[in-house]
Amino acid sequence: MSSTESEVLSQAFELGFTYTRSTGPVVGRFLTELRDRKVVGNKASDGTVYVPPMEFDPRTAEEITEFVEVAETGVVKTWSWIAEPQSKHLLQQPFAFALVQLDGSDVPMLHMVDAGSIDKMKTGMKVKVRWAETTRGHVTDINCFEPA
Amino acid sequence: MSEEKEMITGMEAPMYLTYNFTAGGATTRFLAELRNGKLVGQECPKCQHVYIPPRGSCAACGVPTVREVELTNKATVQSFTIVYIPIPNNPIKPPYVIANLMADGAHQSFLHLISDVDNADVRIGMRVEAIWKAEEEWTHAMENIQYFRPLDEPDMPIDEIGRLKNA
């Protein structure tokens, strides 16, 4: 580019989507129970317990209607350390995104683990729910998991 | 479990994507001229197609569009739609007309508002002119033009809108 041309224009730009989504009866039930500091999943016909609950059985495509409460303790199945959280992350100190399988559930769910340092993280470690101070029926009612 | 309490039926899930938008060379030249109150397109040296807003090259010939062509404030309605549904945070009150406008001398249309006319009277081929904001409000934006309003000129025949003279 020739030196006589003006500098290329650039500008900060924020694209926002102000979504409100309906939750349906199954996810709605999960969130409603979270508001009461309980974690529920649901049980498919083969006995598999899904947390968060699923509307339909992924194997048979049947509706899943039987809700079950599971423990607020679980096991880290796999994890990824976030050494430098960004402003949009919900935890501002280093933390792990982890797949946590709650006791009583057969599938892990994605959430955050606040272990303090990467040395404390281990696949197979036991964790428990740290509840938000005020719960409102959102997945962030679980603030994160912490070592149990 | 608490059946008597109100069930959660919805959740807010806003999403914000923070970018640094870089205009690039051709768009920078276009926006710099808009800042000066000028509509400037770029012409293909091979097929003479005039692009506005320019993207820096000819889509058909694949060559750089280095020559700039200043266009007048006059344009023709190529197509239009009447918007009835309000868009959140958009200050324009429906119903309003958004049109694809072909500036005189250009072969590519751009979107803008049509105003100062009954929506029902807007039609394809209608001649319009740009109404600019006050000079002190000009920025690097198409919003420097408030809207387009009808000109007292006969309509342009549909098959002449945006056509190259000798094509």
Side-chain angles (χ1 to χ4, degrees):
Chain A
M1 187 171 292
S2 80
S3 57
T4 53
E5 277 181 29
S6 57
E7 205 175 316
V8 169
L9 292 167
S10 70
Q11 187 178 43
F13 178 71
E14 187 171 273
L15 183 62
F17 299 102
T18 56
Y19 291 127
T20 302
R21 49 170 288 197
S22 55
T23 50
V26 174
V27 174
R29 171 75 175 267
F30 174 67
L31 297 175
T32 303
E33 300 289 349
L34 281 184
R35 193 176 54 190
D36 290 337
R37 296 168 193 260
K38 289 176 190 160
V39 185
V40 300
N42 58 8
K43 193 186 268 186
S45 56
D46 67 352
T48 306
V49 174
Y50 293 98
V51 178
M54 308 249 276
E55 294 210 23
F56 299 96
D57 187 319
R59 293 190 184 86
T60 65
E62 280 169 16
E63 213 174 323
I64 312 179
T65 54
E66 189 188 346
F67 285 88
V68 289
E69 189 175 338
V70 298
E72 55 179 72
T73 53
V75 171
V76 170
K77 305 298 281 188
T78 180
W79 54 278
S80 177
W81 190 249
I82 308 300
E84 293 173 17
Q86 299 184 353
S87 61
K88 294 282 162 69
H89 282 124
L90 296 174
L91 294 178
Q92 287 308 294
Q93 67 275 31
F95 68 96
F97 275 120
L99 285 173
V100 175
Q101 188 168 329
L102 291 169
D103 298 331
S105 163
D106 294 302
V107 291
M109 67 181 269
L110 181 68
H111 217 294
M112 296 164 285
V113 175
D114 180 15
S117 83
I118 190 169
D119 308 333
K120 305 269 172 53
M121 287 301 303
K122 203 176 285 177
T123 299
M125 72 190 282
K126 289 198 180 302
V127 290
K128 66 166 191 276
V129 170
R130 181 194 294 166
W131 294 100
E133 248 171 65
T134 45
T135 55
R136 57 193 182 96
H138 198 276
V139 72
T140 53
D141 287 352
I142 296 176
N143 227 329
C144 60
F145 286 84
E146 58 190 21
Chain B
M1 299 196 187
S2 51
E3 248 69 49
E4 69 279 3
K5 275 199 200 157
E6 205 188 322
M7 181 92 171
I8 300 284
T9 57
M11 58 177 263
E12 287 177 14
M15 189 190 290
Y16 294 95
L17 306 170
T18 311
Y19 292 97
N20 186 34
F21 173 76
T22 302
T27 308
T28 290
R29 274 150 57 207
F30 171 70
L31 295 174
E33 293 297 351
L34 263 180
R35 177 75 183 73
N36 298 328
K38 290 179 188 168
L39 272 181
V40 174
Q42 289 173 15
E43 187 188 61
C44 174
K46 235 173 138 182
C47 71
Q48 278 74 53
H49 191 106
V50 172
Y51 290 90
I52 177 173
R55 291 285 175 260
S57 64
C58 177
C61 307
V63 296
T65 53
V66 284
R67 198 171 92 82
E68 296 192 341
V69 184
E70 188 176 343
L71 304 166
T72 70
N73 280 323
K74 293 184 176 186
T76 304
V77 175
Q78 186 190 38
S79 65
F80 66 96
T81 186
I82 304 178
V83 179
Y84 289 95
I85 299 168
I87 296 166
N89 303 320
N90 187 333
I92 307 163
K93 294 277 163 287
Y96 56 87
V97 179
I98 289 285
N100 275 313
L101 298 172
M102 192 70 74
D104 288 6
H107 310 99
Q108 191 82 17
S109 63
F110 57 87
L111 275 176
H112 219 296
L113 278 171
I114 303 244
S115 199
D116 274 1
V117 59
D118 280 346
N119 291 347
D121 292 338
V122 177
R123 59 199 178 272
I124 291 170
M126 185 185 227
R127 301 281 295 146
V128 293
E129 65 176 340
I131 302 301
W132 292 74
K133 287 183 180 170
E135 190 173 340
E136 54 273 18
E137 291 175 47
W138 290 348
T139 63
H140 296 98
M142 235 7 206
E143 286 83 55
N144 290 356
I145 296 174
Q146 278 182 285
Y147 56 83
F148 283 76
R149 74 167 177 217
L151 273 169
D152 190 16
E153 284 183 12
D155 286 7
M156 183 178 283
I158 291 168
D159 51 12
E160 287 177 24
I161 301 171
R163 289 290 159 85
L164 285 162
K165 285 237 163 58
N166 302 316

